[in-house]
Coordinates of all heavy atoms in Angstrom, one line a residue:
M1 N -12.8 -34.5 19.1 CA -12.5 -34.2 17.8 C -11.0 -33.7 17.7 O -10.6 -32.8 18.4 CB -13.5 -33.1 17.3 CG -13.2 -32.7 15.9 SD -14.3 -31.4 15.2 CE -15.9 -32.0 15.6
D2 N -10.3 -34.2 16.7 CA -8.9 -33.8 16.5 C -8.9 -32.4 15.9 O -9.8 -32.0 15.2 CB -8.2 -34.8 15.6 CG -7.9 -36.1 16.2 OD1 -7.6 -36.1 17.4 OD2 -8.0 -37.1 15.5
D3 N -7.8 -31.7 16.2 CA -7.6 -30.3 15.7 C -6.2 -30.3 15.0 O -5.2 -30.5 15.7 CB -7.7 -29.4 16.8 CG -7.8 -27.9 16.4 OD1 -7.7 -27.7 15.2 OD2 -8.0 -27.0 17.3
F4 N -6.2 -30.0 13.7 CA -4.9 -29.9 13.0 C -4.7 -28.5 12.6 O -5.6 -27.8 12.1 CB -5.0 -30.8 11.8 CG -5.2 -32.3 12.2 CD1 -6.4 -32.8 12.1 CD2 -4.1 -33.1 12.6 CE1 -6.7 -34.2 12.4 CE2 -4.3 -34.4 12.9 CZ -5.6 -34.9 12.8
K5 N -3.4 -28.1 12.6 CA -3.1 -26.7 12.2 C -3.0 -26.5 10.7 O -3.1 -25.4 10.3 CB -1.8 -26.3 12.9 CG -1.9 -26.2 14.4 CD -0.6 -25.8 15.0 CE -0.8 -25.7 16.5 NZ 0.3 -26.1 17.3
S6 N -2.8 -27.6 10.0 CA -2.6 -27.4 8.5 C -3.3 -28.6 7.8 O -3.4 -29.7 8.4 CB -1.1 -27.3 8.2 OG -0.5 -28.6 8.3
I7 N -3.6 -28.4 6.6 CA -4.1 -29.5 5.7 C -3.0 -30.6 5.6 O -3.4 -31.8 5.6 CB -4.5 -28.9 4.3 CG1 -5.8 -28.1 4.6 CG2 -4.8 -30.0 3.3 CD1 -6.3 -27.4 3.3
M8 N -1.8 -30.2 5.4 CA -0.7 -31.2 5.3 C -0.7 -32.1 6.5 O -0.5 -33.3 6.4 CB 0.7 -30.6 5.1 CG 1.8 -31.6 5.1 SD 3.0 -31.6 3.9 CE 2.6 -30.6 2.6
E9 N -0.8 -31.5 7.7 CA -0.8 -32.3 8.9 C -2.0 -33.2 9.0 O -1.8 -34.4 9.3 CB -0.8 -31.3 10.1 CG -0.8 -32.0 11.5 CD -0.9 -31.0 12.7 OE1 -1.0 -29.8 12.4 OE2 -0.9 -31.5 13.8
A10 N -3.1 -32.8 8.6 CA -4.3 -33.6 8.5 C -4.1 -34.8 7.5 O -4.5 -35.9 7.7 CB -5.5 -32.8 8.2
Q11 N -3.6 -34.5 6.3 CA -3.3 -35.5 5.3 C -2.4 -36.6 5.8 O -2.6 -37.8 5.6 CB -2.7 -34.9 4.0 CG -3.7 -34.1 3.2 CD -3.1 -33.4 2.0 OE1 -1.9 -33.0 2.1 NE2 -3.8 -33.4 0.9
Q12 N -1.3 -36.2 6.5 CA -0.4 -37.1 7.0 C -1.1 -38.0 8.1 O -0.8 -39.2 8.1 CB 0.8 -36.4 7.7 CG 1.7 -35.8 6.6 CD 2.8 -34.9 7.2 OE1 2.8 -34.5 8.4 NE2 3.7 -34.5 6.4
Y13 N -1.9 -37.4 8.9 CA -2.6 -38.2 9.9 C -3.6 -39.2 9.2 O -3.6 -40.4 9.5 CB -3.4 -37.3 10.8 CG -4.4 -38.1 11.6 CD1 -4.1 -38.8 12.7 CD2 -5.8 -38.1 11.2 CE1 -5.0 -39.6 13.5 CE2 -6.7 -38.8 11.9 CZ -6.3 -39.6 13.1 OH -7.3 -40.3 13.7
A14 N -4.3 -38.7 8.2 CA -5.3 -39.6 7.5 C -4.6 -40.7 6.8 O -5.1 -41.9 6.9 CB -6.1 -38.7 6.5
A15 N -3.4 -40.5 6.2 CA -2.7 -41.5 5.5 C -2.2 -42.7 6.4 O -2.2 -43.8 6.0 CB -1.5 -40.9 4.8
R16 N -1.9 -42.4 7.6 CA -1.4 -43.4 8.5 C -2.4 -43.8 9.6 O -2.3 -44.9 10.2 CB -0.1 -43.0 9.1 CG -0.2 -41.9 10.1 CD 1.2 -41.6 10.8 NE 1.1 -40.7 11.9 CZ 0.8 -39.4 11.8 NH1 0.7 -38.8 10.6 NH2 0.7 -38.6 12.9
G17 N -3.5 -43.0 9.9 CA -4.3 -43.2 11.0 C -5.8 -43.6 10.7 O -6.5 -43.9 11.6
I18 N -6.2 -43.5 9.5 CA -7.5 -43.8 9.1 C -7.5 -45.0 8.1 O -6.8 -45.0 7.1 CB -8.3 -42.6 8.5 CG1 -8.2 -41.4 9.5 CG2 -9.7 -43.0 8.1 CD1 -8.8 -40.1 8.9
S19 N -8.4 -46.0 8.4 CA -8.4 -47.1 7.4 C -9.0 -46.7 6.1 O -9.7 -45.7 6.0 CB -9.2 -48.3 8.0 OG -10.6 -48.1 8.0
K20 N -8.8 -47.5 5.1 CA -9.2 -47.1 3.8 C -10.7 -47.0 3.6 O -11.2 -46.4 2.7 CB -8.7 -48.1 2.7 CG -9.2 -49.5 2.8 CD -8.5 -50.3 1.7 CE -8.9 -51.7 1.7 NZ -8.2 -52.5 0.6
Y21 N -11.5 -47.6 4.5 CA -13.0 -47.6 4.4 C -13.6 -46.5 5.3 O -14.8 -46.3 5.2 CB -13.6 -48.9 4.7 CG -13.1 -50.0 3.8 CD1 -12.2 -51.0 4.2 CD2 -13.6 -50.1 2.5 CE1 -11.8 -52.0 3.3 CE2 -13.3 -51.1 1.6 CZ -12.3 -52.0 2.0 OH -11.9 -53.0 1.1
N22 N -12.8 -45.9 6.2 CA -13.4 -45.0 7.2 C -13.1 -43.6 6.9 O -12.2 -43.2 6.1 CB -12.9 -45.4 8.6 CG -13.4 -46.8 9.0 OD1 -14.5 -47.1 8.7 ND2 -12.6 -47.5 9.6
S23 N -13.7 -42.7 7.7 CA -13.5 -41.3 7.6 C -13.7 -40.7 9.0 O -14.2 -41.4 9.9 CB -14.5 -40.6 6.7 OG -15.8 -40.8 7.1
E24 N -13.2 -39.5 9.2 CA -13.3 -38.8 10.5 C -13.6 -37.4 10.3 O -13.3 -36.8 9.2 CB -12.0 -38.9 11.3 CG -11.7 -40.3 11.8 CD -10.4 -40.4 12.6 OE1 -10.0 -39.3 13.1 OE2 -9.8 -41.5 12.7
I25 N -14.3 -36.8 11.2 CA -14.5 -35.3 11.2 C -13.5 -34.7 12.2 O -13.4 -35.2 13.3 CB -16.0 -35.0 11.6 CG1 -17.0 -35.7 10.7 CG2 -16.2 -33.5 11.6 CD1 -16.9 -35.4 9.3
A26 N -12.9 -33.7 11.7 CA -11.9 -33.0 12.6 C -11.9 -31.5 12.2 O -12.5 -31.1 11.3 CB -10.5 -33.5 12.3
M27 N -11.2 -30.7 13.0 CA -11.0 -29.3 12.7 C -9.7 -29.2 12.1 O -8.7 -29.7 12.6 CB -11.1 -28.4 14.0 CG -12.4 -28.4 14.7 SD -13.7 -27.7 13.6 CE -13.3 -26.0 13.6
V28 N -9.6 -28.5 10.9 CA -8.4 -28.3 10.2 C -8.3 -26.8 9.8 O -9.2 -26.3 9.1 CB -8.3 -29.2 9.0 CG1 -7.0 -28.9 8.2 CG2 -8.4 -30.7 9.4
E29 N -7.3 -26.1 10.3 CA -7.2 -24.7 10.0 C -8.4 -24.0 10.5 O -8.9 -23.0 9.8 CB -6.9 -24.4 8.5 CG -5.5 -25.0 8.1 CD -5.2 -24.7 6.6 OE1 -6.1 -24.4 5.8 OE2 -4.0 -24.9 6.3
G30 N -9.0 -24.4 11.6 CA -10.2 -23.8 12.1 C -11.5 -24.1 11.4 O -12.5 -23.5 11.8
K31 N -11.5 -25.0 10.5 CA -12.7 -25.4 9.7 C -13.1 -26.8 10.0 O -12.3 -27.7 10.1 CB -12.5 -25.3 8.2 CG -12.3 -23.9 7.7 CD -12.1 -24.0 6.2 CE -11.8 -22.6 5.6 NZ -11.7 -22.8 4.1
P32 N -14.4 -27.1 10.1 CA -14.9 -28.5 10.1 C -14.4 -29.2 8.9 O -14.5 -28.6 7.8 CB -16.4 -28.4 10.2 CG -16.7 -27.0 10.4 CD -15.5 -26.2 10.0
S33 N -13.9 -30.4 9.0 CA -13.2 -31.1 7.9 C -13.6 -32.6 7.9 O -13.6 -33.2 9.0 CB -11.7 -30.9 8.0 OG -11.4 -29.5 8.0
F34 N -13.8 -33.1 6.7 CA -14.0 -34.5 6.5 C -12.7 -35.1 6.1 O -12.1 -34.6 5.1 CB -15.0 -34.7 5.3 CG -15.4 -36.1 5.0 CD1 -16.4 -36.8 5.6 CD2 -14.6 -36.8 4.0 CE1 -16.7 -38.1 5.3 CE2 -15.0 -38.1 3.7 CZ -16.0 -38.7 4.3
L35 N -12.1 -36.0 6.8 CA -10.9 -36.7 6.5 C -11.0 -38.1 6.1 O -11.8 -38.8 6.8 CB -10.0 -36.7 7.8 CG -9.6 -35.3 8.5 CD1 -8.8 -35.6 9.7 CD2 -8.9 -34.4 7.5
C36 N -10.3 -38.5 5.1 CA -10.3 -39.9 4.7 C -8.9 -40.2 4.1 O -8.2 -39.3 3.7 CB -11.4 -40.3 3.8 SG -11.6 -39.3 2.3
C37 N -8.5 -41.5 4.1 CA -7.2 -41.7 3.5 C -7.2 -42.2 2.1 O -6.3 -42.1 1.3 CB -6.4 -42.7 4.4 SG -6.4 -44.4 4.0
T38 N -8.4 -42.7 1.7 CA -8.6 -43.1 0.3 C -9.9 -42.5 -0.2 O -10.7 -41.9 0.6 CB -8.7 -44.7 0.1 OG1 -9.9 -45.1 0.8 CG2 -7.5 -45.4 0.7
G39 N -10.2 -42.6 -1.5 CA -11.4 -42.1 -2.0 C -12.6 -42.9 -1.7 O -13.8 -42.5 -2.0
I40 N -12.5 -44.1 -1.1 CA -13.6 -45.0 -0.9 C -14.8 -44.3 -0.1 O -15.9 -44.4 -0.5 CB -13.2 -46.3 -0.2 CG1 -12.3 -47.1 -1.2 CG2 -14.3 -47.2 0.2 CD1 -11.6 -48.3 -0.5
P41 N -14.5 -43.7 1.0 CA -15.6 -43.0 1.7 C -16.4 -42.0 0.9 O -17.6 -41.9 1.0 CB -15.0 -42.4 3.0 CG -13.8 -43.2 3.2 CD -13.3 -43.6 1.8
L42 N -15.6 -41.2 0.1 CA -16.2 -40.2 -0.7 C -17.0 -40.9 -1.8 O -18.1 -40.4 -2.2 CB -15.2 -39.3 -1.3 CG -14.5 -38.3 -0.3 CD1 -13.4 -37.6 -1.0 CD2 -15.5 -37.3 0.2
E43 N -16.5 -41.9 -2.4 CA -17.2 -42.7 -3.4 C -18.5 -43.2 -2.9 O -19.6 -43.2 -3.6 CB -16.3 -43.8 -4.0 CG -15.2 -43.3 -4.8 CD -14.2 -44.4 -5.2 OE1 -14.4 -45.5 -4.9 OE2 -13.2 -44.0 -5.8
E44 N -18.5 -43.8 -1.7 CA -19.7 -44.3 -1.1 C -20.7 -43.3 -0.7 O -21.9 -43.5 -0.9 CB -19.3 -45.2 0.2 CG -18.6 -46.4 -0.1 CD -18.2 -47.2 1.1 OE1 -18.3 -46.6 2.2 OE2 -17.7 -48.3 1.0
R45 N -20.3 -42.2 -0.2 CA -21.2 -41.1 0.3 C -21.7 -40.2 -0.8 O -22.8 -39.8 -0.8 CB -20.5 -40.2 1.3 CG -19.9 -40.9 2.5 CD -20.9 -41.1 3.7 NE -21.6 -40.0 4.2 CZ -21.2 -39.2 5.2 NH1 -20.1 -39.5 5.8 NH2 -22.0 -38.2 5.6
L46 N -20.8 -39.9 -1.8 CA -21.2 -38.9 -2.9 C -21.3 -39.6 -4.3 O -22.4 -39.4 -4.9 CB -20.2 -37.8 -2.9 CG -20.1 -37.0 -1.6 CD1 -19.0 -35.9 -1.7 CD2 -21.4 -36.3 -1.2
R47 N -20.3 -40.2 -4.7 CA -20.2 -40.6 -6.1 C -21.2 -41.8 -6.4 O -21.9 -41.7 -7.4 CB -18.8 -41.1 -6.5 CG -18.7 -41.4 -7.9 CD -17.2 -41.6 -8.3 NE -17.1 -42.2 -9.6 CZ -16.0 -42.4 -10.2 NH1 -14.8 -42.1 -9.7 NH2 -16.0 -42.9 -11.5
A48 N -21.3 -42.8 -5.6 CA -22.2 -43.9 -5.8 C -23.7 -43.5 -6.0 O -24.3 -43.9 -6.9 CB -22.0 -45.0 -4.8
P49 N -24.2 -42.6 -5.1 CA -25.6 -42.2 -5.3 C -25.8 -41.4 -6.6 O -26.8 -41.6 -7.2 CB -25.9 -41.3 -4.0 CG -24.9 -41.8 -3.0 CD -23.7 -42.2 -3.8
I50 N -24.8 -40.6 -6.9 CA -24.9 -39.9 -8.2 C -25.0 -40.8 -9.4 O -25.8 -40.7 -10.3 CB -23.8 -38.9 -8.4 CG1 -23.9 -37.7 -7.3 CG2 -23.7 -38.3 -9.8 CD1 -22.6 -36.9 -7.2
E51 N -24.0 -41.8 -9.4 CA -24.0 -42.7 -10.5 C -25.3 -43.6 -10.6 O -25.8 -43.8 -11.7 CB -22.8 -43.7 -10.3 CG -21.5 -43.0 -10.6 CD -20.3 -44.0 -10.5 OE1 -20.5 -45.2 -10.3 OE2 -19.1 -43.5 -10.5
N52 N -25.8 -44.0 -9.4 CA -27.0 -44.8 -9.4 C -28.2 -44.0 -10.0 O -29.0 -44.5 -10.7 CB -27.3 -45.3 -8.0 CG -26.3 -46.3 -7.6 OD1 -25.7 -47.0 -8.4 ND2 -26.2 -46.5 -6.3
A53 N -28.3 -42.7 -9.6 CA -29.4 -41.9 -10.1 C -29.3 -41.6 -11.6 O -30.3 -41.8 -12.3 CB -29.4 -40.5 -9.3
V54 N -28.1 -41.4 -12.1 CA -27.9 -41.2 -13.5 C -28.1 -42.5 -14.3 O -28.8 -42.4 -15.3 CB -26.4 -40.6 -13.8 CG1 -26.1 -40.7 -15.3 CG2 -26.3 -39.2 -13.2
L55 N -27.7 -43.6 -13.7 CA -27.9 -44.9 -14.4 C -29.4 -45.2 -14.5 O -29.8 -45.6 -15.6 CB -27.1 -46.0 -13.6 CG -27.2 -47.4 -14.2 CD1 -26.6 -47.4 -15.7 CD2 -26.5 -48.4 -13.3
D56 N -30.1 -45.0 -13.4 CA -31.5 -45.2 -13.5 C -32.2 -44.4 -14.5 O -33.1 -44.9 -15.3 CB -32.2 -45.0 -12.1 CG -31.8 -46.0 -11.1 OD1 -31.3 -47.1 -11.4 OD2 -32.1 -45.7 -9.9
F57 N -31.8 -43.1 -14.6 CA -32.4 -42.2 -15.5 C -32.1 -42.6 -17.0 O -33.0 -42.6 -17.8 CB -31.9 -40.8 -15.2 CG -32.5 -39.7 -16.1 CD1 -33.8 -39.3 -15.9 CD2 -31.8 -39.1 -17.1 CE1 -34.4 -38.3 -16.7 CE2 -32.3 -38.1 -17.9 CZ -33.6 -37.7 -17.7
L58 N -30.8 -42.9 -17.2 CA -30.4 -43.3 -18.6 C -31.0 -44.6 -19.0 O -31.4 -44.8 -20.2 CB -28.9 -43.4 -18.6 CG -28.1 -42.1 -18.5 CD1 -26.6 -42.4 -18.4 CD2 -28.4 -41.1 -19.6
N59 N -31.2 -45.6 -18.1 CA -31.8 -46.8 -18.4 C -33.3 -46.6 -18.7 O -33.8 -47.3 -19.6 CB -31.7 -47.8 -17.2 CG -30.3 -48.4 -17.1 OD1 -29.6 -48.4 -18.1 ND2 -29.9 -48.9 -16.0
E60 N -33.9 -45.7 -18.0 CA -35.3 -45.4 -18.3 C -35.5 -44.8 -19.7 O -36.5 -45.1 -20.4 CB -35.8 -44.4 -17.2 CG -37.3 -44.2 -17.3 CD -37.8 -43.2 -16.2 OE1 -37.1 -43.2 -15.1 OE2 -38.8 -42.5 -16.4
L61 N -34.5 -44.1 -20.1 CA -34.5 -43.5 -21.5 C -34.0 -44.5 -22.5 O -34.1 -44.2 -23.7 CB -33.6 -42.3 -21.5 CG -34.1 -41.1 -20.7 CD1 -33.1 -40.0 -20.7 CD2 -35.4 -40.5 -21.4
G62 N -33.5 -45.7 -22.1 CA -33.1 -46.7 -23.1 C -31.7 -46.3 -23.7 O -31.4 -46.8 -24.8
V63 N -30.9 -45.6 -23.0 CA -29.6 -45.2 -23.6 C -28.6 -46.4 -23.5 O -28.5 -47.1 -22.5 CB -29.0 -44.0 -22.7 CG1 -27.6 -43.7 -23.2 CG2 -29.9 -42.8 -22.8
D64 N -28.0 -46.6 -24.7 CA -26.9 -47.7 -24.8 C -25.7 -47.2 -24.0 O -25.4 -46.0 -23.9 CB -26.5 -47.9 -26.2 CG -27.7 -48.6 -27.0 OD1 -28.5 -49.3 -26.4 OD2 -27.7 -48.4 -28.2
D65 N -24.9 -48.2 -23.5 CA -23.7 -47.9 -22.7 C -24.0 -47.0 -21.5 O -23.2 -46.1 -21.2 CB -22.6 -47.3 -23.6 CG -22.2 -48.3 -24.7 OD1 -22.2 -49.5 -24.4 OD2 -21.9 -47.9 -25.8
S66 N -25.1 -47.1 -20.9 CA -25.5 -46.2 -19.8 C -24.6 -46.4 -18.6 O -24.4 -45.4 -17.9 CB -27.0 -46.4 -19.4 OG -27.2 -47.8 -19.1
E67 N -24.0 -47.5 -18.4 CA -23.1 -47.7 -17.2 C -21.9 -46.9 -17.4 O -21.5 -46.2 -16.4 CB -22.8 -49.2 -17.0 CG -23.6 -49.8 -15.9 CD -23.1 -51.2 -15.6 OE1 -22.0 -51.4 -15.2 OE2 -23.9 -52.1 -15.9
D68 N -21.2 -47.0 -18.6 CA -20.0 -46.2 -18.8 C -20.3 -44.7 -18.7 O -19.5 -43.9 -18.1 CB -19.4 -46.5 -20.1 CG -18.8 -47.9 -20.2 OD1 -18.5 -48.4 -19.2 OD2 -18.7 -48.4 -21.4
L69 N -21.4 -44.3 -19.2 CA -21.8 -42.8 -19.2 C -22.1 -42.4 -17.7 O -21.6 -41.4 -17.3 CB -23.0 -42.6 -20.0 CG -23.5 -41.1 -20.2 CD1 -22.3 -40.2 -20.6 CD2 -24.6 -41.0 -21.2
A70 N -22.8 -43.3 -17.0 CA -23.1 -42.9 -15.6 C -21.8 -42.8 -14.7 O -21.7 -41.9 -13.9 CB -24.0 -44.0 -15.0
V71 N -20.8 -43.7 -15.0 CA -19.5 -43.6 -14.3 C -18.8 -42.3 -14.6 O -18.3 -41.7 -13.7 CB -18.7 -44.9 -14.6 CG1 -17.2 -44.7 -14.1 CG2 -19.3 -46.1 -14.0
D72 N -18.8 -42.0 -15.9 CA -18.1 -40.7 -16.3 C -18.8 -39.5 -15.6 O -18.1 -38.6 -15.1 CB -18.1 -40.6 -17.8 CG -17.2 -41.5 -18.5 OD1 -16.3 -42.2 -17.8 OD2 -17.3 -41.7 -19.7
I73 N -20.1 -39.5 -15.7 CA -20.8 -38.4 -15.1 C -20.7 -38.3 -13.6 O -20.4 -37.3 -13.0 CB -22.3 -38.4 -15.5 CG1 -22.5 -38.2 -17.0 CG2 -23.2 -37.5 -14.7 CD1 -23.9 -38.5 -17.6
G74 N -20.7 -39.5 -13.0 CA -20.5 -39.6 -11.5 C -19.2 -39.0 -11.1 O -19.1 -38.2 -10.1
A75 N -18.1 -39.3 -11.8 CA -16.8 -38.8 -11.5 C -16.7 -37.3 -11.6 O -16.2 -36.6 -10.7 CB -15.8 -39.5 -12.4
E76 N -17.3 -36.8 -12.7 CA -17.2 -35.4 -13.0 C -18.1 -34.6 -12.0 O -17.6 -33.6 -11.4 CB -17.7 -35.1 -14.4 CG -17.5 -33.7 -14.8 CD -17.9 -33.4 -16.3 OE1 -17.8 -34.4 -17.1 OE2 -18.3 -32.3 -16.6
V77 N -19.3 -35.1 -11.8 CA -20.2 -34.3 -10.8 C -19.7 -34.4 -9.4 O -19.7 -33.4 -8.7 CB -21.6 -34.9 -11.0 CG1 -22.5 -34.3 -9.9 CG2 -22.2 -34.6 -12.3
C78 N -19.1 -35.6 -9.0 CA -18.6 -35.7 -7.7 C -17.5 -34.7 -7.4 O -17.4 -34.1 -6.4 CB -18.1 -37.1 -7.4 SG -17.7 -37.5 -5.7
S79 N -16.6 -34.6 -8.4 CA -15.5 -33.7 -8.2 C -16.0 -32.2 -8.1 O -15.5 -31.5 -7.2 CB -14.5 -33.8 -9.4 OG -13.5 -32.9 -9.4
T80 N -16.9 -31.9 -8.9 CA -17.5 -30.5 -8.8 C -18.2 -30.3 -7.5 O -18.1 -29.3 -6.9 CB -18.5 -30.3 -10.0 OG1 -17.7 -30.4 -11.2 CG2 -19.1 -28.9 -9.9
L81 N -18.9 -31.4 -7.1 CA -19.7 -31.3 -5.8 C -18.8 -31.1 -4.7 O -19.0 -30.2 -3.8 CB -20.5 -32.6 -5.6 CG -21.3 -32.7 -4.4 CD1 -22.4 -31.6 -4.3 CD2 -22.0 -34.1 -4.3
I82 N -17.6 -31.7 -4.6 CA -16.7 -31.6 -3.5 C -16.2 -30.1 -3.5 O -16.1 -29.5 -2.5 CB -15.5 -32.6 -3.7 CG1 -16.0 -34.0 -3.3 CG2 -14.3 -32.2 -2.8 CD1 -15.0 -35.1 -3.7
D83 N -15.8 -29.6 -4.7 CA -15.4 -28.2 -4.8 C -16.4 -27.2 -4.3 O -16.1 -26.3 -3.6 CB -15.0 -27.9 -6.2 CG -13.7 -28.6 -6.7 OD1 -13.0 -29.1 -5.9 OD2 -13.5 -28.7 -8.0
V84 N -17.6 -27.4 -4.7 CA -18.7 -26.5 -4.3 C -19.0 -26.6 -2.8 O -19.2 -25.6 -2.2 CB -20.0 -26.8 -5.2 CG1 -21.2 -26.0 -4.6 CG2 -19.8 -26.4 -6.6
I85 N -19.0 -27.8 -2.3 CA -19.2 -28.0 -0.9 C -18.2 -27.3 -0.1 O -18.5 -26.5 0.9 CB -19.3 -29.5 -0.5 CG1 -20.6 -30.1 -1.0 CG2 -19.2 -29.7 1.1 CD1 -20.6 -31.7 -0.8
E86 N -16.9 -27.5 -0.4 CA -15.8 -26.8 0.3 C -16.0 -25.3 0.2 O -15.8 -24.6 1.2 CB -14.5 -27.2 -0.3 CG -14.0 -28.6 0.1 CD -12.6 -28.9 -0.4 OE1 -12.3 -28.7 -1.6 OE2 -11.9 -29.4 0.4
K87 N -16.3 -24.8 -0.9 CA -16.4 -23.3 -1.1 C -17.6 -22.7 -0.4 O -17.5 -21.8 0.4 CB -16.4 -23.0 -2.6 CG -16.5 -21.5 -2.9 CD -16.5 -21.2 -4.3 CE -16.6 -19.7 -4.6 NZ -16.7 -19.4 -6.0
R88 N -18.8 -23.3 -0.6 CA -20.0 -22.7 -0.1 C -20.3 -23.0 1.3 O -20.9 -22.2 2.0 CB -21.2 -23.2 -1.0 CG -21.0 -22.9 -2.5 CD -21.9 -22.0 -3.2 NE -23.2 -21.6 -2.7 CZ -24.3 -21.8 -3.3 NH1 -24.3 -22.5 -4.4 NH2 -25.4 -21.4 -2.8
A89 N -19.9 -24.2 1.8 CA -20.1 -24.5 3.2 C -18.9 -24.1 4.1 O -19.0 -24.3 5.3 CB -20.4 -26.0 3.3
D90 N -17.8 -23.6 3.5 CA -16.6 -23.3 4.2 C -16.1 -24.4 5.1 O -15.8 -24.2 6.3 CB -16.8 -22.0 5.0 CG -15.5 -21.3 5.4 OD1 -14.5 -21.5 4.7 OD2 -15.5 -20.7 6.5
V91 N -15.9 -25.6 4.4 CA -15.4 -26.7 5.1 C -14.2 -27.3 4.2 O -14.0 -26.9 3.1 CB -16.4 -27.8 5.3 CG1 -17.6 -27.3 6.2 CG2 -17.0 -28.3 4.0
N92 N -13.5 -28.2 4.8 CA -12.5 -29.0 4.1 C -12.9 -30.4 3.8 O -13.5 -31.0 4.7 CB -11.1 -29.0 4.8 CG -10.6 -27.6 5.1 OD1 -10.4 -26.8 4.2 ND2 -10.2 -27.3 6.3
I93 N -12.6 -30.9 2.7 CA -12.7 -32.3 2.4 C -11.3 -32.8 2.0 O -10.8 -32.4 1.0 CB -13.7 -32.6 1.3 CG1 -15.1 -32.1 1.7 CG2 -13.7 -34.1 0.9 CD1 -16.2 -32.2 0.6
I94 N -10.7 -33.5 2.9 CA -9.3 -33.8 2.9 C -9.0 -35.3 2.7 O -9.5 -36.1 3.5 CB -8.5 -33.3 4.1 CG1 -8.7 -31.8 4.2 CG2 -7.1 -33.7 4.1 CD1 -8.2 -31.2 5.5
C95 N -8.3 -35.7 1.6 CA -8.0 -37.0 1.3 C -6.7 -37.1 0.6 O -6.5 -36.5 -0.5 CB -9.1 -37.7 0.4 SG -8.8 -39.4 0.0
P96 N -5.7 -37.7 1.2 CA -4.4 -37.8 0.5 C -4.4 -38.8 -0.6 O -3.4 -39.0 -1.3 CB -3.4 -38.3 1.6 CG -4.3 -39.0 2.6 CD -5.6 -38.3 2.6
W97 N -5.5 -39.5 -0.9 CA -5.7 -40.4 -2.0 C -4.7 -41.5 -2.0 O -4.0 -41.9 -3.0 CB -5.6 -39.7 -3.4 CG -6.6 -38.6 -3.4 CD1 -6.4 -37.2 -3.3 CD2 -8.1 -38.7 -3.5 NE1 -7.5 -36.5 -3.3 CE2 -8.6 -37.4 -3.5 CE3 -8.9 -39.8 -3.6 CZ2 -10.0 -37.1 -3.5 CZ3 -10.3 -39.5 -3.7 CH2 -10.8 -38.2 -3.7
V98 N -4.5 -42.1 -0.8 CA -3.6 -43.3 -0.7 C -4.2 -44.4 -1.5 O -5.4 -44.6 -1.5 CB -3.5 -43.7 0.8 CG1 -2.7 -45.0 0.9 CG2 -2.8 -42.6 1.6
D99 N -3.3 -45.1 -2.3 CA -3.8 -46.2 -3.1 C -4.5 -47.3 -2.3 O -4.1 -47.6 -1.2 CB -2.7 -46.8 -3.9 CG -2.1 -45.9 -4.9 OD1 -2.8 -45.0 -5.4 OD2 -0.9 -46.1 -5.3
Y100 N -5.6 -47.8 -2.9 CA -6.2 -48.9 -2.2 C -6.3 -50.0 -3.2 O -6.7 -51.1 -3.1 CB -7.6 -48.5 -1.6 CG -8.5 -47.9 -2.6 CD1 -9.4 -48.7 -3.3 CD2 -8.6 -46.5 -2.7 CE1 -10.3 -48.0 -4.1 CE2 -9.5 -45.9 -3.5 CZ -10.4 -46.7 -4.2 OH -11.3 -46.1 -5.1

């Protein structure tokens, strides 16, 4: 497991050393950390399941434009979820958000 002294150092590594579809676990500033270079791994692991659950629920209720609403909710909830995970689990989720 890699060990980085700073978040910036981990971001620089992720941007050049991790493919856009992959992620790695490392220690950053003494904390277990999820590293990725694009949002794809986070979208697959967190956002997609949220959007799917919301979409199923909205479709069951017969809500029009349920896809757009599920995408909006997925984005908002995923962002909040990342913040809460980092705070409550005392971990880092690090992504320099390199364009893909």
Side-chain angles (χ1 to χ4, degrees):
M1 179 183 306
D2 288 323
D3 192 355
F4 300 97
K5 293 181 177 140
S6 71
I7 290 175
M8 171 132 349
E9 182 183 359
Q11 286 177 324
Q12 290 171 346
Y13 166 78
R16 70 177 190 284
I18 301 175
S19 76
K20 66 182 181 179
Y21 298 105
N22 293 324
S23 61
E24 295 181 17
I25 304 299
M27 293 299 289
V28 179
E29 297 180 341
K31 293 181 182 182
S33 302
F34 180 90
L35 303 178
C36 53
C37 94
T38 67
I40 294 171
L42 290 171
E43 290 171 4
E44 290 175 350
R45 303 273 307 266
L46 300 176
R47 186 172 170 175
I50 292 166
E51 286 180 11
N52 290 336
V54 170
L55 182 60
D56 289 346
F57 184 73
L58 294 173
N59 284 339
E60 188 176 332
L61 291 170
V63 174
D64 291 333
D65 297 325
S66 58
E67 258 186 67
D68 290 339
L69 184 53
V71 168
D72 290 345
I73 291 169
E76 186 174 332
V77 170
C78 186
S79 178
T80 300
L81 181 60
I82 289 168
D83 292 343
V84 171
I85 289 171
E86 285 185 313
K87 182 179 178 184
R88 305 243 344 240
D90 196 29
V91 299
N92 296 311
I93 298 173
I94 300 170
C95 179
W97 306 104
V98 173
D99 290 335
Y100 55 89

